[in-house]
Amino acid sequence: MKLLGISGSLRAGSFNTLLLKAAARVAASESAELKVHDISAIPLYNGDLDGDVKPAPVQALLDAIAAADGLVLVTPEYNYSFSGVMKNVIDWASRPAFNAVLTHKPCALLSASMSALGGARAQTHLRSVLAGTLSPVYQAPDYLLASAHTAFNNDGELKSDDHQKRLEQFMQGYLNWLQHPR
Ligand SMILES: Cc1cc2nc3c(=O)[nH]c(=O)nc-3n(C[C@H](O)[C@H](O)[C@H](O)COP(=O)(O)O)c2cc1C
């Protein structure tokens, strides 16, 4: 399985990017590949730029999504929703509507937040938006990382065995669902 991972935080020390990298290590241990795609150069969506020839970072994103068996979208919660840069990626990847690289592309959602809720509201909004792009979302178990600022050690690994175990269960479940969708 070839997975593409996108972090909805551009911050160098992002907890969501750390979580994505932790998920990539789990994927590797399950004989899957999870490539982290850098979205920092993606311009804001502008229909005038969305012609046959697209900005190079956008085309690279679309090609990477098209080549992936599934996506792992990891988002912070900003003001009770998912981040604007994640929405921007979805907007680019959703055109032309219902015949886009996102159409029918299976997605898994992760979130990390410093709050006790772990980005629950962000995930709910993201699920709703992905319904609009006809992108099926792995349903359960959810993975939300609360108190993310205390969750990683200096090597960027999850400190808690419970967090790590649940991430492994999440990725195993997602990979199983990709192979046997139901
Ligand atoms: C603009 C902004 C809005 C935020 N709103 C929320 C929020 O609604 N809920 C929440 O749990 N955390 C919120 N936070 C805190 C983020 O969860 C926290 O900054 C987190 O570390 C961001 O993810 P990152 O580490 O991957 O960059 C907000 C942060 C920013 C910058």
Side-chain angles (χ1 to χ4, degrees), residues 123-180:
Q123 285 206 25
T124 300
H125 278 187
L126 186 49
R127 277 177 196 275
S128 173
V129 167
L130 291 169
T133 62
L134 303 183
S135 312
V137 177
Y138 176 60
Q139 291 293 336
D142 289 333
Y143 192 96
L144 305 108
L145 185 63
S147 303
H149 52 301
T150 66
F152 296 96
N153 65 21
N154 289 338
D155 294 326
E157 293 161 344
L158 287 163
K159 286 195 269 191
S160 144
D161 289 345
D162 178 56
H163 287 162
Q164 178 64 24
K165 184 84 187 150
R166 286 194 299 110
L167 185 62
E168 288 167 11
Q169 287 170 344
F170 179 89
M171 290 302 295
Q172 286 160 359
Y174 177 46
L175 289 166
N176 187 46
W177 177 66
L178 287 176
Q179 282 160 339
H180 312 285

Side-chain angles (χ1 to χ4, degrees), residues 23-42:
R25 290 191 292 276
V26 173
S29 72
E30 298 290 327
S31 305
E33 181 188 22
L34 198 177
K35 275 192 198 158
V36 177
H37 193 88
D38 180 3
I39 60 166
S40 57
I42 308 275

Side-chain angles (χ1 to χ4, degrees), residues 63-144:
D63 291 346
I65 293 176
D69 297 308
L71 305 183
V72 178
L73 305 178
V74 189
T75 186
E77 184 166 296
Y78 284 176
N79 298 311
Y80 286 21
S81 188
F82 59 96
S83 66
V85 294
M86 183 64 84
K87 180 64 161 53
N88 190 48
V89 161
I90 291 171
D91 291 341
W92 276 113
S94 67
R95 307 302 293 173
F98 312 129
N99 190 24
V101 290
L102 264 186
T103 310
H104 305 311
K105 185 68 65 175
C107 298
L109 311 186
L110 299 167
S111 57
S113 157
M114 297 202 289
S115 85
L117 294 183
R121 294 163 295 214
Q123 285 206 25
T124 300
H125 278 187
L126 186 49
R127 277 177 196 275
S128 173
V129 167
L130 291 169
T133 62
L134 303 183
S135 312
V137 177
Y138 176 60
Q139 291 293 336
D142 289 333
Y143 192 96
L144 305 108

Side-chain angles (χ1 to χ4, degrees), residues 42-56 58-59 92:
I42 308 275
L44 287 175
Y45 184 82
N46 178 342
D48 293 339
L49 301 178
D50 196 7
D52 290 340
V53 179
K54 302 182 199 310
V58 172
Q59 192 58 57
W92 276 113

